[in-house]
Amino acid sequence: MPEGSCTAANPFLLVLDLSPGGAHGAWGCRNSPGCRWQRCPWCCQLPPRCQGKSVGQGGGPGSQAAPDGGCWISPQVRSVSPAGPAPPSSCPAGTGDNGGGTRPRHQGHIPREWHQGTIPIPREWHQGRLGWQSRAAPLPRQDTAPLAPLWPCCLSGTPFHQISLSFSVESRSSRCRNSQLQEAARKKLWALGSDDRGVCALFKELSARLVCTQAHEDRFLLTFKTLEEVWKFSTYLTLGYVGSCLEQLLFAQEFWLDCALVEDTELRVTMDEEHLATIYMDLLLQEGNFFSRAVPGAWKSEQEGEEGLQLCRNELIHVKSVGQDSRWEGMSLLTGQRGVVPMPALQPIAQPFYQWFLKNYAVSFGVSQEVSGTSSQAIVKGRCMATKDHRGATWDELSFSKGDPIEIIGFFIPGLPWFVGKSLSTGSIGFVPTQHVNPEACEPLGKGFVFLSEEEKSPVLHVPCNGDEQHFVTLLGELAHTDITSVYRLAGFEPTAAFPQVPPEAAPHGSKEIQVLQSWEEINDWATSSTSELSSPGSETAPATLEDVLLDKLDDLDYPKFFIDLNAGHMDDADVFDPMLTFLNQDSFVPSFQSFYDLSFSFLHSTFYGFSDEDELVLYLETSRNWAKRTRSVWAHVRLCFLLGKLCIKKVKLSQARVYFEEAMSVLDRGFGDLPLLAALHVSLASIYLKQNMKHKFSSLLGKTVTLLVCLPGRSFSWENELELLMYILRESIAVGNAPLEARVCFLIVQLFLQLGRTEEVLPFLEHLQCLSITWLGPGTRSGPLDAAATLGYLYDKKCLPNLALASVRSFVPGSTKGTPTPIWRAGFILQNAPKLLGKQLDRSSMPAVACLYLKQALQSCCDSRAVPMQRTLCAVLSRMFLQHGLLHGAVCYAARAAALGRLLGEEEAFESSLSLGWLHLLQQQPGLARAILQGMASKTQGGAVHNLLAMALSGEGRIQEAAENFLRALHKAKEMGSRRNQAVALANLGQLSLSCGATQLAELYLLWAVRLFAELQGHQELDMELAQVLLWLAQAMVDRQRMEDAKLCYELALGFGLKWQNLRSQLHVTERLCHFYSRVCPDLQACITYHEHWASLARQLQDRELEGNARQALSQLYQALGTPEALRQSLDCTKQCLRIFIDLEEAARAAEAWLQAGKLYYLLQEDELVEMYFQAGIQTALKGDNFSLAMDLYEKAGDTFFNGSRDRARAVEFYRGGAVPLARKLKATQTELRLFNKLAELQISLQGYEKALEFATLAARLSLRVGDQLQELVAFHRLATAYDLLHMYEMAEDCYLKTLALRPPVLQSSAEALYYCKLYWHLGNLTLHKLKDEQDASSYFLLALAAATELGDQELQALLRAKLGAIPRAPGAPEGTPGCATDRPRWLSEGGHVV
């Protein structure tokens, strides 16, 4: 057989290479050591056999084709591509697109020039940045060889992209890793590894594909298959959402309750940006359709043919593949010309957003060159100085002289040809050429990269808050509300809490901050303040509408309205139109004109009335326009033309609208008095020119239109089609690289999309804008010019992306701008949306802990604004949250603060809060504090709820009689009120009190009565959970009265209610009781197994790995007790699951014991080849952690498996003698060493290795003398005597037997001891009679045995011994005169000697 081949059928074994950039997997031959062939990881078709001959031609070095058409790869070429190959369309694995649709692939290699370094590579490409800091992605490294086709079945040069994402949990204050939290996150990731559906869903939401988790290296291995996936993921990475989402995935609920720790902790993610950029470029080439820039100097030498495209420096080109590696088809965005472009002339645009935008928002004609590029200068405002004389060519251009100061109206954006300015010398306003002024003296809009005014933030940030602020105030009020004043509580039972309770000292240290949030003295000071200072919950954050923000409540102003009268007689009367013409002919902007320019055509209702349809209004406005012409009312004429044009736009009559707008522009000769009108005319007309592809007219109008569109802050949009114009300008800014203009236009696009309600389309632009804000942060600035994270969270929520929505809103920092989201909005949003991560809705019984910090910050905000009602609400919500997660100390602190605030608001609030505080003290088992609160309340009110809680407090203090009296008062009060639920609770509490006192019969009566009442009230979850608790009490009463069948019924009914409502905590509590019942109280192995299975299943659903490990371990022992082969298999499965869990939890000791238990089970299953492997794995686990004591125990237990078994018993010696004994001596564990030598001696005796048995027995005897334990010494000498006896060393055996007898007390202590004496003396008699031939001593021993038999009263044994004595000729006649030793033979041991 040639090297590298084998003939076994399907001899392949999957070999995974999970290193960064390595192949994702390959199939390697396991039957033939010399066989090196591996399968194509895409085709996934195992060949029937390997063959060593080369089949394919031109398939690249080392590649071969399978004889059956499969795809094989030689390991020599696996490292050619750092990312591995991707499947072609012909490959079976590559035909699917995973829901993304089939996309065209580039059919060739990555161009040779890119590998050989003939293309000049910009500096940014070497920096490895992909995203918002760079303008280009890095090329593949110059030292990388050209990609060779690795599989004959797959297209060459199509890489399979994998990249690792590492995470590190760091402390912000110390700037170093938090080892404890890092370890906790790693354990959580280990736990998720067994069921990674949640991790896969998270990365799917982040637009990445999870290959695997590598918890031991704190990283994930990801892959991307589309450009959009790389684009989206890199965006989320830049925005910081990837780390936030992983925090939500990996941190436990307890972490989020420690607010100080949450604020100080950050999960940082790192990724090889150069590798990610390479992946992006590879995918770009595969698609074969992208945008690029012309590389200066790299293309001229190859432009010889007529078909070559003439390119300018940095010109933007749309490139498409034509199937050749070195030449591509290109179209210039500047000229629109098409031609062939050589590959060296291309520098692909690295920004994924740019590629997406340029493809999806194409225009009918090219770049205008009206805008120039700049990325270093900021947008400014203020005053500038003219640097040269200028005489305006048209009426709208400002004339000025060199040195004249000019005030900028709006913004000065570098790169634009014009800005609107006001000459401070003449007071005139007009367009100013930007090249004729020096803007250095101007004032930037802010620190860093600022592209909007402060007033412009509100409309964008206001969107998610519109109507939701009050919604969240109401939601928090509902969560804070409690029925404790009217509904009784079961003693010690809180259905929403995660018990067992955590003692106060175990609460997170962050909860200690609660007491310093607001001093009690400050609260008491407020008690004397006027009621006007106590704000209502939502008064300080009442939401405003968009019109409120922009127009200062226009509805409150008295604007003129005009009646439309189409009476024929009136149409010819100029006086009829005078009021309207006078109103419209004002030479400056007045607020009442604002309705002309908005998107909603509000002037149809706010300015005109009395018309039946719009045609009547058009006719009336046409007549008005004619009168304006006659009277030469220029402003009225222009405004009427504009209104008529808008009405034509509304009916999509664009040509007619263009006529009106052009007429208005021709008439207008002094338009800067009404800048909104001038801007609306220019923008509307330019939009129509663009829509109708009127390139010449559009180009002539574009320069000034851009200025009016982007440089005037707060300008209202007047038409939906302005979007097309904004898209064109954004395209221009990208083409020339004008970053300030790009940001400004992107902001306006977002604004317009949001006003139009097109939330699906706004998301990419808002993400890009947020990235720009973050990327261009100025020195000393903590946040960007526009923190749109709240709006993004709102949009993500609408798209059902809960992880991103939560991450975005968590990163949002509420500001002081009016109308923007507040801390209350943020806390409410997080509280409402966090349960969606688990596919649930917010429930009062399960509030997510991730909201704790944000609730606390909302509370601090309310403290600053003195909103006492909302403070109390938030304290109550926080108290309930801490209670639900079992942190009673924090719950009590917040409840105490809520009670103090309640006293400021009124008696009802104070009563409710105080009662809640008393209940929490009871749950915290502080009955004294609870009684101090409740006794004062009981003296003021006769409420049954107070007496019920007071009775619990008295019971906790041992005052049983007073407790019973208060329970009865509560019961009578419930009867008076007609509340059957409260009656049932009071009866149940009386039953539990009786049960605790041992009055089981009385307890049974009360509890049965309570169960009957609860049974009538079924149908609500909270009631059924209370009934389940009462059934548990009743079951305990039945057990105490030995009524086991009734107890079973109660337990199983309680479990049934938990199953009914899918309440995992309730099921777990009842199941643990059932497991104890069937294992200890009423043993039933099969039932016990059933409930342990359910226990393990519940622990898995609760994601409590430690609890699941305990349940699986107990279940393994139960299956082993059954003893059947099937049961042993089940036991082995459970043990292996335990092993996996303990390894995940890094509990080395328990993992080692699980290894050993699995080995024992393999021994019982007679799979001996695996036994020692598992034993050694467990022992090595213990030794690796330097746990020598555990290793010694494991060695001994492993030996016990063989010692107590029926097969291979001799194998116990190596574990006892070779493993356990050396460790026992090292640890000076003398007792263990003695026990081991006793076992070794016993084992060798059973194996007939008598000489070794003598050796081990001698060592055991020595150790027993050292230990000083008479029982151990007796056992050792007895076993030593047996060894001597078996070796025919009878005198030594006799001496050792006598030594054992000397160690016994002189007076017989029990019948068992008498039997031992009898048997041993009988054996000594036989030994001396038959082996030593000493009849005298033999008769003495038989007489002593007869005496012991007489003590036992065993007549049959006495008869046998008398027969023995009768057979000895010189035996004495009576036992009284029998000496202990009749001869003078030396007995060294019995005379006090020591073992040699």
Side-chain angles (χ1 to χ4, degrees):
M1 181 183 300
E3 180 185 0
S5 65
C6 65
T7 57
N10 293 337
F12 289 87
L13 178 70
L14 181 62
V15 181
L16 288 177
D17 176 13
L18 299 181
S19 59
H24 65 288
W27 287 90
C29 179
R30 64 179 178 181
N31 290 340
S32 174
C35 182
R36 298 163 298 159
W37 294 104
Q38 298 173 346
R39 277 188 38 186
C40 167
W42 285 107
C43 294
C44 301
Q45 298 171 355
L46 286 176
R49 58 186 176 273
C50 311
Q51 297 189 7
K53 61 182 180 179
S54 178
V55 179
Q57 298 294 330
S63 64
Q64 289 189 355
D68 61 349
C71 305
W72 303 352
I73 173 176
S74 172
Q76 300 102 298
V77 298
R78 287 181 66 196
S79 60
V80 172
S81 171
S89 57
S90 61
C91 184
T95 53
D97 61 353
N98 295 300
T102 302
R103 70 180 194 279
R105 299 176 181 271
H106 173 47
Q107 301 295 313
H109 301 300
I110 289 179
R112 183 184 305 109
E113 294 85 351
W114 286 25
H115 295 295
Q116 296 174 347
T118 58
I119 299 179
I121 302 176
R123 176 175 50 85
E124 296 88 348
W125 290 38
H126 288 296
Q127 294 172 352
R129 294 179 177 273
L130 173 66
W132 314 110
Q133 286 92 343
S134 64
R135 296 295 168 188
L139 289 170
R141 295 189 303 273
Q142 296 187 31
D143 57 352
T144 304
L147 292 179
L150 303 184
W151 292 277
C153 69
C154 299
L155 291 178
S156 59
T158 53
F160 178 76
H161 308 107
Q162 292 181 2
I163 188 169
S164 63
L165 177 75
S166 303
F167 68 88
S168 173
V169 184
E170 299 180 6
S171 168
R172 289 188 172 96
S173 57
S174 63
R175 297 183 179 179
C176 61
R177 176 176 290 196
N178 187 323
S179 302
Q180 186 176 358
L181 280 177
Q182 184 80 24
E183 187 66 24
R186 185 181 299 123
K187 287 184 178 181
K188 181 65 178 292
L189 186 57
W190 270 114
L192 292 170
S194 59
D195 182 9
D196 61 357
R197 287 176 296 180
V199 189
C200 289
L202 170 61
F203 280 106
K204 182 180 179 182
E205 191 171 323
L206 292 172
S207 295
R209 300 166 191 247
L210 179 69
V211 177
C212 67
T213 59
Q214 297 175 342
H216 61 290
E217 296 184 7
D218 299 331
R219 68 180 186 179
F220 305 86
L221 197 63
L222 308 176
T223 184
F224 305 94
K225 293 187 180 178
T226 67
L227 285 168
E228 185 176 0
E229 288 177 354
V230 179
W231 167 36
K232 289 294 184 183
F233 186 82
S234 62
T235 299
Y236 303 143
L237 202 60
T238 303
L239 294 175
Y241 296 163
V242 176
S244 296
C245 288
L246 290 180
E247 288 176 355
Q248 293 153 196
L249 176 73
L250 297 178
F251 289 157
Q253 297 290 318
E254 293 75 16
F255 164 81
W256 299 106
L257 295 171
D258 189 341
C259 297
L261 186 61
V262 173
E263 288 182 304
D264 187 54
T265 301
E266 180 181 10
L267 190 146
R268 295 182 183 272
V269 293
T270 55
M271 179 176 274
D272 185 348
E273 293 185 357
E274 183 178 354
H275 188 190
L276 185 62
T278 304
I279 290 174
Y280 167 72
M281 297 303 298
D282 289 344
L283 290 171
L284 205 61
L285 285 172
Q286 285 181 34
E287 191 170 88
N289 179 5
F290 56 91
F291 289 83
S292 178
R293 293 190 185 277
V295 178
W299 51 274
K300 294 180 180 178
S301 60
E302 300 190 20
Q303 287 192 13
E304 298 175 356
E306 296 181 359
E307 62 177 4
L309 185 64
Q310 299 297 318
L311 301 175
C312 299
R313 179 186 178 89
N314 285 329
E315 185 175 343
L316 207 57
I317 313 161
H318 187 190
V319 180
K320 292 183 180 180
S321 170
V322 293
Q324 299 181 21
D325 290 345
S326 60
R327 301 175 73 82
W328 296 57
E329 179 188 339
M331 183 190 76
S332 169
L333 267 66
L334 177 62
T335 63
Q337 295 179 351
R338 297 178 182 271
V340 175
V341 185
M343 179 54 64
L346 298 179
Q347 179 181 313
I349 295 178
Q351 279 276 19
F353 172 80
Y354 294 160
Q355 293 283 355
W356 170 83
F357 172 76
L358 293 172
K359 288 177 189 175
N360 287 274
Y361 291 92
V363 292
S364 55
F365 42 86
V367 178
S368 68
Q369 294 185 304
E370 286 286 335
V371 179
S372 59
T374 178
S375 59
S376 59
Q377 300 179 37
I379 300 176
V380 296
K381 61 182 180 179
R383 296 180 181 180
C384 58
M385 195 68 66
T387 57
K388 60 175 65 176
D389 295 341
H390 176 73
R391 294 293 171 262
T394 59
W395 69 266
D396 57 357
E397 295 180 16
L398 186 67
S399 298
F400 52 85
S401 301
K402 181 178 179 180
D404 284 354
I406 299 174
E407 182 179 356
I408 299 170
I409 296 178
F411 300 148
F412 179 101
I413 300 180
L416 292 186
W418 304 94
F419 71 93
V420 179
K422 178 180 180 181
S423 173
L424 297 181
S425 303
T426 63
S428 302
I429 299 175
F431 289 107
V432 181
T434 55
Q435 295 180 348
H436 292 180
V437 297
N438 181 6
E440 291 182 1
C442 297
E443 174 189 354
L445 297 186
K447 292 183 179 180
F449 187 72
V450 183
F451 47 81
L452 74 166
S453 65
E454 194 67 27
E455 296 76 19
E456 289 180 302
K457 293 181 180 180
S458 181
V460 173
L461 300 183
H462 176 71
V463 173
C465 188
N466 191 9
D468 283 348
E469 179 84 12
Q470 190 58 44
H471 164 73
F472 288 130
V473 169
T474 305
L475 174 66
L476 289 168
E478 292 172 354
L479 293 174
H481 176 70
T482 175
D483 57 4
I484 197 168
T485 59
S486 57
V487 178
Y488 295 179
R489 296 292 189 262
L490 278 176
F493 178 72
E494 175 61 47
T496 63
F499 287 98
Q501 301 169 12
V502 179
E505 60 271 13
H509 66 267
S511 61
K512 296 177 183 176
E513 306 170 14
I514 298 166
Q515 298 160 351
V516 301
L517 289 177
Q518 179 176 300
S519 65
W520 301 115
E521 292 79 5
E522 186 179 357
I523 293 177
N524 292 330
D525 290 343
W526 286 4
T528 60
S529 63
S530 63
T531 56
S532 62
E533 294 180 358
L534 306 181
S535 307
S536 61
S539 61
E540 71 276 16
T541 58
T545 64
L546 187 60
E547 287 76 11
D548 291 340
V549 176
L550 294 178
L551 308 179
D552 297 325
K553 299 184 179 179
L554 295 178
D555 292 340
D556 296 337
L557 302 176
D558 186 16
Y559 293 143
K561 292 187 178 182
F562 301 96
F563 178 75
I564 305 303
D565 186 2
L566 296 179
N567 189 308
H570 293 165
M571 297 291 283
D572 296 328
D573 188 355
D575 295 337
V576 173
F577 296 96
D578 275 348
M580 187 174 70
L581 293 178
T582 302
F583 169 69
L584 294 177
N585 204 39
Q586 299 180 69
D587 59 359
S588 61
F589 174 81
V590 293
S592 54
F593 290 159
Q594 184 62 49
S595 62
F596 298 170
Y597 313 129
D598 60 26
L599 282 170
S600 61
F601 295 85
S602 59
F603 68 89
L604 293 175
H605 311 287
S606 62
T607 308
F608 304 103
Y609 69 99
F611 56 92
S612 58
D613 54 39
E614 291 181 13
D615 290 337
E616 292 184 2
L617 177 61
V618 169
L619 178 59
Y620 187 81
L621 293 177
E622 280 281 6
T623 307
S624 302
R625 180 176 69 100
N626 293 330
W627 281 109
K629 285 181 180 181
R630 294 179 191 176
T631 58
R632 297 184 180 179
S633 303
V634 175
W635 284 103
H637 184 187
V638 171
R639 289 190 176 104
L640 286 166
C641 284
F642 176 76
L643 291 177
L644 286 165
K646 281 206 70 173
L647 290 173
C648 292
I649 285 175
K650 193 170 186 289
K651 296 181 178 181
V652 199
K653 298 178 179 179
L654 299 186
S655 296
Q656 190 172 349
R658 173 168 52 83
V659 172
Y660 283 122
F661 291 145
E662 287 176 341
E663 180 181 337
M665 291 286 286
S666 66
V667 172
L668 192 61
D669 57 1
R670 48 188 183 279
F672 287 95
D674 190 349
L675 264 178
L677 174 63
L678 185 66
L681 277 171
H682 276 78
V683 171
S684 299
L685 192 54
S687 299
I688 293 176
Y689 288 155
L690 182 63
K691 188 80 172 175
Q692 295 185 339
N693 200 17
M694 304 175 74
K695 184 175 180 180
H696 179 71
K697 289 186 174 182
F698 175 76
S699 299
S700 64
L701 193 64
L702 180 62
K704 295 174 180 177
T705 301
V706 172
T707 299
L708 294 170
L709 181 61
V710 303
C711 293
L712 300 180
R715 191 192 73 84
S716 296
F717 299 104
S718 59
W719 185 26
E720 182 177 348
N721 276 18
E722 287 184 30
L723 266 174
E724 294 185 18
L725 182 58
L726 287 168
M727 297 298 181
Y728 180 86
I729 300 171
L730 180 58
R731 189 183 184 91
E732 291 258 320
S733 65
I734 293 172
V736 300
N738 189 324
L741 179 62
E742 175 191 340
R744 178 68 184 169
V745 175
C746 196
F747 166 73
L748 294 174
I749 290 171
V750 167
Q751 225 181 354
L752 183 51
F753 267 132
L754 291 175
Q755 288 189 30
L756 294 172
R758 292 160 63 174
T759 54
E760 287 289 327
E761 299 169 77
V762 73
L763 195 53
F765 296 95
L766 189 56
E767 287 174 341
H768 182 59
L769 190 63
Q770 185 76 349
C771 286
L772 289 173
S773 299
I774 292 173
T775 305
W776 295 94
L777 286 180
T781 55
R782 298 183 59 186
S783 60
L786 178 69
D787 184 4
T791 310
L792 281 171
Y794 168 79
L795 296 173
Y796 289 138
D797 183 42
K798 291 194 69 171
K799 290 194 69 175
C800 298
L801 300 172
N803 284 285
L804 286 170
L806 205 60
S808 183
V809 174
R810 280 180 52 215
S811 69
F812 174 68
V813 179
S816 57
T817 305
K818 180 183 177 182
T820 59
T822 64
I824 292 177
W825 179 90
R826 181 179 61 172
F829 184 95
I830 293 172
L831 200 59
Q832 180 172 274
N833 285 273
K836 295 179 182 178
L837 301 183
L838 303 175
K840 301 178 181 178
Q841 295 295 323
L842 179 62
D843 184 8
R844 293 181 71 249
S845 63
S846 57
M847 287 190 285
V850 70
C852 183
L853 171 65
Y854 308 99
L855 287 167
K856 182 178 163 185
Q857 291 174 350
L859 176 61
Q860 184 60 52
S861 173
C862 291
C863 290
D864 297 340
S865 61
R866 294 202 168 190
V868 176
M870 182 52 76
Q871 285 186 66
R872 176 180 170 272
T873 297
L874 291 168
C875 285
V877 172
L878 284 163
S879 177
R880 179 179 288 273
M881 179 179 289
F882 277 95
L883 171 63
Q884 288 177 3
H885 292 90
L887 300 178
L888 291 174
H889 178 62
V892 167
C893 289
Y894 278 112
R897 186 172 174 191
L901 291 165
R903 288 192 287 272
L904 302 178
L905 298 174
E907 291 185 4
E908 184 178 346
E909 291 83 356
F911 180 71
E912 180 183 309
S913 300
S914 298
L915 212 57
S916 298
L917 179 60
W919 171 235
L920 287 173
H921 280 307
L922 288 172
L923 292 177
Q924 203 178 17
Q925 299 184 8
Q926 295 176 334
L929 294 175
R931 179 178 53 79
I933 295 171
L934 296 167
Q935 274 187 334
M937 299 174 68
S939 62
K940 298 177 182 178
T941 178
Q942 295 298 316
V946 178
H947 288 295
N948 183 58
L949 295 180
L950 180 58
M952 296 180 203
L954 294 168
S955 173
E957 293 182 319
R959 297 158 66 174
I960 305 301
Q961 185 62 38
E962 294 177 67
E965 291 173 359
N966 276 279
F967 276 137
L968 288 171
R969 289 192 188 101
L971 177 61
H972 293 318
K973 197 70 178 177
K975 287 182 178 178
E976 290 177 11
M977 301 297 294
S979 174
R980 300 180 71 80
R981 176 180 179 177
N982 287 347
Q983 292 178 52
V985 172
L987 287 166
N989 286 336
L990 279 167
Q992 194 272 341
L993 181 66
S994 304
L995 190 62
S996 65
C997 297
T1000 54
Q1001 186 174 1
L1002 184 60
E1004 181 184 341
L1005 291 173
Y1006 280 129
L1007 292 171
L1008 280 172
W1009 193 357
V1011 167
R1012 292 192 190 98
L1013 288 173
F1014 270 120
E1016 297 173 5
L1017 301 170
Q1018 284 186 53
H1020 189 272
Q1021 182 176 358
E1022 191 172 341
L1023 285 168
D1024 284 349
M1025 293 303 99
E1026 289 179 346
L1027 175 54
Q1029 180 61 40
V1030 175
L1031 286 168
L1032 291 179
W1033 289 339
L1034 183 57
Q1036 185 59 50
M1038 296 299 181
V1039 169
D1040 292 346
R1041 301 194 67 195
Q1042 301 299 313
R1043 292 165 57 181
M1044 299 304 172
E1045 291 301 320
D1046 291 338
K1048 288 181 188 178
L1049 177 62
C1050 292
Y1051 279 130
E1052 289 169 0
L1053 280 173
L1055 180 59
F1057 285 115
L1059 290 167
K1060 173 184 176 182
W1061 294 103
Q1062 299 179 359
N1063 189 315
L1064 299 181
R1065 289 286 175 188
S1066 174
Q1067 291 180 56
L1068 183 65
H1069 184 53
V1070 179
T1071 303
E1072 288 173 344
R1073 296 286 191 92
L1074 278 163
C1075 291
H1076 177 267
F1077 178 79
Y1078 282 113
S1079 60
R1080 301 291 178 85
V1081 180
C1082 184
D1084 184 337
L1085 188 56
Q1086 198 60 53
C1088 198
I1089 288 174
T1090 301
Y1091 287 111
H1092 272 82
E1093 286 277 14
H1094 188 55
W1095 184 20
S1097 172
L1098 291 170
R1100 186 177 184 82
Q1101 292 179 65
L1102 289 167
Q1103 296 184 351
D1104 191 332
R1105 301 284 283 173
E1106 185 173 1
L1107 182 62
E1108 184 185 356
N1110 295 336
R1112 296 285 180 196
Q1113 199 169 34
L1115 192 58
S1116 174
Q1117 295 170 359
L1118 292 171
Y1119 276 123
Q1120 187 177 349
L1122 283 178
T1124 64
E1126 294 80 7
L1128 291 175
R1129 285 286 174 195
Q1130 294 278 7
S1131 177
L1132 181 61
D1133 289 343
C1134 291
T1135 301
K1136 287 183 176 179
Q1137 291 179 54
C1138 290
L1139 177 59
R1140 188 179 301 113
I1141 290 169
F1142 296 147
I1143 291 174
D1144 290 350
L1145 297 176
E1146 297 187 354
E1147 296 187 8
R1150 300 187 72 181
E1153 291 173 354
W1155 282 112
L1156 185 81
Q1157 177 65 16
K1160 289 180 180 179
L1161 291 166
Y1162 275 120
Y1163 180 83
L1164 295 174
L1165 290 166
Q1166 301 186 14
E1167 297 184 17
D1168 296 339
E1169 68 276 5
L1170 295 173
V1171 175
E1172 188 162 354
M1173 183 185 75
Y1174 274 84
F1175 283 168
Q1176 290 297 339
I1179 292 165
Q1180 291 304 317
T1181 301
L1183 290 174
K1184 194 178 295 183
D1186 293 334
N1187 193 340
F1188 298 114
S1189 177
L1190 175 62
M1192 179 184 68
D1193 292 341
L1194 295 177
Y1195 269 121
E1196 184 177 3
K1197 290 176 180 177
D1200 289 346
T1201 302
F1202 295 107
F1203 179 81
N1204 298 320
S1206 58
R1207 305 183 320 280
D1208 300 329
R1209 298 189 71 224
R1211 293 176 65 183
V1213 176
E1214 60 184 279
F1215 291 99
Y1216 287 153
R1217 189 72 180 90
V1221 169
L1223 288 173
R1225 288 176 174 171
K1226 180 177 182 177
L1227 297 171
K1228 298 181 180 180
T1230 309
Q1231 289 279 7
T1232 302
E1233 188 180 359
L1234 173 59
R1235 184 172 64 252
L1236 289 166
F1237 280 127
N1238 278 325
K1239 289 180 180 179
L1240 282 165
E1242 180 68 28
L1243 177 63
Q1244 292 297 341
I1245 289 171
S1246 66
L1247 296 174
Q1248 299 183 357
Y1250 302 133
E1251 292 184 0
K1252 287 189 174 293
L1254 178 61
E1255 177 190 346
F1256 294 135
T1258 303
L1259 291 169
R1262 286 178 180 172
L1263 287 170
S1264 68
L1265 292 172
R1266 191 187 308 168
V1267 169
D1269 187 333
Q1270 280 198 350
L1271 181 60
Q1272 295 280 4
E1273 194 175 343
L1274 184 148
V1275 172
F1277 275 100
H1278 186 96
R1279 192 164 282 116
L1280 180 61
T1282 303
Y1284 280 129
D1285 194 357
L1286 293 170
L1287 286 168
H1288 308 300
M1289 301 170 68
Y1290 300 119
E1291 291 183 353
M1292 296 297 290
E1294 181 189 14
D1295 281 340
C1296 289
Y1297 281 135
L1298 291 174
K1299 175 67 175 178
T1300 62
L1301 291 169
L1303 293 171
R1304 306 301 299 174
V1307 180
L1308 296 178
Q1309 302 294 322
S1310 64
S1311 58
E1313 194 170 288
L1315 181 61
Y1316 175 76
Y1317 271 90
C1318 180
K1319 290 184 176 182
L1320 188 53
Y1321 277 123
W1322 190 338
H1323 183 70
L1324 279 169
N1326 285 329
L1327 187 145
T1328 53
L1329 179 62
H1330 299 296
K1331 305 299 181 182
L1332 298 177
K1333 308 301 181 181
D1334 188 339
E1335 295 179 350
Q1336 185 178 359
D1337 279 0
S1339 61
S1340 298
Y1341 291 140
F1342 283 132
L1343 284 172
L1344 289 170
L1346 180 59
T1350 304
E1351 183 71 24
L1352 282 170
D1354 190 332
Q1355 296 298 326
E1356 183 180 354
L1357 193 55
Q1358 293 176 42
L1360 291 172
L1361 286 167
R1362 287 192 180 97
K1364 281 279 188 181
L1365 286 167
I1368 300 174
R1370 293 184 294 277
E1376 288 83 1
T1378 304
C1381 291
T1383 65
D1384 294 329
R1385 286 184 292 107
R1387 294 175 177 85
W1388 182 74
L1389 285 171
S1390 59
E1391 292 174 358
H1394 295 282
V1395 179
V1396 178

